[in-house]
């Protein structure tokens, strides 16, 4: 566990990355989900060197926040294209149906996003792109709802993902019974209290042992998800699960998210190269 109160120096890597030539390529796909019976939009970002040879690449799955889409992380003004080049990784950005919370809804069969990401999408990307198709070369990250999704999917699918990045994630759903359509995905807290326990990431830790995942969490000191991330960090510490927790000045916004992604991708890069999540 590591806590940094000032990470301006680490965040500077984002500026450097953004100054590099934007040679990464984006591809918009429709990926069929058998579980949901429909096609899901997905954007794939390949690094500058991808078109120049036959090398295979690690993959980062990037999950957007509530109200976002598969296009939110791939624009010219967002950091992931530059980070794909900088770290030579393929980045996969699925669409999460605005407010899926990246889970398999027990009340709505049209929202089955854990299965889609962890099984259907990973299998399809490994078939169609030159990936290093093993968990040690595969990571998942996201911001806000996407941070919850990265932890929820990553912890529950350790055989698929080796590293998880949580950026100001809503890792405990219970304090927010009327926000962001959560009750549409898992039922109301009054009628389905067990679902609110079962789908809150802070309650997933009984299924996680130290060393099974490389895990990093980042949250700003003025974020409305600060308390739930502090609790998540505390629970990981109590279980003896080594991880990185970074709490620094910032808000729940795209500025902090972009800065945090630069740190998370460096963490993933070290994991892909050494098998250890380090900064």
């Amino acid at each position: 566990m590591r806590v940094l109160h000032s990470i301006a120096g680490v965040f500077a890597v984002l500026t450097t990355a953004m100054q590099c030539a934007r040679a990464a390529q984006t591809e918009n796909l429709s990926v069929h989900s058998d579980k949901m019976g429909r096609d899901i939009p997905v954007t794939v970002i390949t690094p500058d060197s991808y078109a120049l040879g036959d090398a295979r690449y690690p993959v980062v799955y990037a999950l957007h926040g509530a109200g976002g889409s598969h296009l939110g992380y791939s624009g010219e003004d967002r950091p992931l294209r530059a980070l794909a080049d900088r770290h030579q990784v393929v980045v996969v950005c699925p669409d999460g149906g605005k407010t899926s919370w990246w889970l398999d809804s027990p009340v709505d069969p049209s929202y089955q996003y854990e299965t889609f990401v962890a099984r259907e999408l990973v299998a399809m990307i490994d078939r169609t792109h030159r990936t290093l198709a093993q968990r040690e070369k595969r990571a998942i990250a996201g911001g806000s709802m996407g941070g919850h999704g990265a932890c929820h999917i990553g912890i529950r699918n350790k055989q698929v993902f080796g590293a998880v990045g949580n950026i100001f994630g809503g890792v405990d759903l219970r304090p927010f019974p009327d926000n962001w359509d959560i009750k549409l995905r898992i039922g109301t807290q009054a009628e389905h209290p067990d679902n609110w326990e079962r789908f809150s990431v802070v309650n997933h830790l009984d299924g996680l042992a130290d060393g099974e995942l490389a895990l990093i969490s980042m949250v700003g000191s003025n974020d409305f998800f600060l308390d739930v991330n502090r609790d998540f960090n505390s629970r990981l510490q109590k279980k003896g699960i080594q991880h990185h927790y970074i709490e620094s000045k910032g808000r729940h916004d795209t500025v902090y998210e972009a800065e945090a992604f630069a740190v998370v991708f460096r963490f993933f890069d070290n994991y892909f190269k050494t098998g250890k999540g380090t900064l």
Side-chain angles (χ1 to χ4, degrees), residues 22-183:
R22 287 185 174 275
Q25 299 296 309
T26 61
E27 177 185 10
N28 293 318
L29 309 174
S30 290
V31 180
H32 187 73
S33 169
D34 289 338
K35 186 75 178 286
M36 291 186 276
R38 57 191 173 95
D39 292 344
I40 306 298
V42 177
T43 296
V44 178
I45 306 170
T46 51
D48 49 7
S49 63
Y50 188 88
L52 303 178
D54 57 3
R56 293 186 173 272
Y57 294 80
V59 185
V60 177
Y61 288 78
L63 310 183
H64 65 76
S69 78
H70 63 109
L71 300 173
Y73 287 151
S74 61
E76 287 286 345
D77 61 337
R78 301 310 306 276
L80 296 197
R81 292 173 65 173
L83 292 172
D85 282 347
R86 181 178 181 85
H87 297 293
Q88 293 297 289
V89 295
V90 171
V91 182
V92 180
C93 306
D95 193 276
K98 299 295 184 184
T99 54
S100 68
W101 284 87
W102 300 105
L103 50 81
D104 282 359
S105 171
V107 299
D108 187 344
S110 68
Y111 280 78
Q112 304 294 304
Y113 281 86
E114 178 187 352
T115 293
F116 174 68
V117 173
R119 298 182 186 177
E120 297 173 328
L121 181 57
V122 166
M124 180 271 186
I125 294 296
D126 285 344
R127 284 196 308 270
T128 59
H129 291 71
R130 297 197 315 274
T131 67
L132 292 166
Q134 58 202 75
R135 68 175 298 275
E136 294 82 5
K137 304 298 182 182
R138 195 183 292 125
I140 188 168
S144 195
M145 181 184 82
H148 167 274
C151 293
H152 175 73
I153 294 172
I155 293 172
R156 288 166 52 86
N157 296 273
K158 300 184 294 291
Q159 76 283 6
V160 178
F161 301 98
V164 172
N166 162 38
I167 299 171
F168 51 50
V171 291
D172 190 344
L173 304 179
R174 297 170 299 179
F176 309 98
D178 297 311
N179 297 93
W180 311 297
D181 291 345
I182 302 171
K183 62 186 176 184

Side-chain angles (χ1 to χ4, degrees), residues 193-214:
D194 290 349
N195 286 346
W196 289 77
E197 298 292 327
R198 181 159 62 99
F199 287 103
S200 286
V201 168
V202 293
N203 293 328
H204 290 2
L205 299 185
D206 286 345
L208 182 64
D210 185 37
E212 288 189 304
L213 283 176

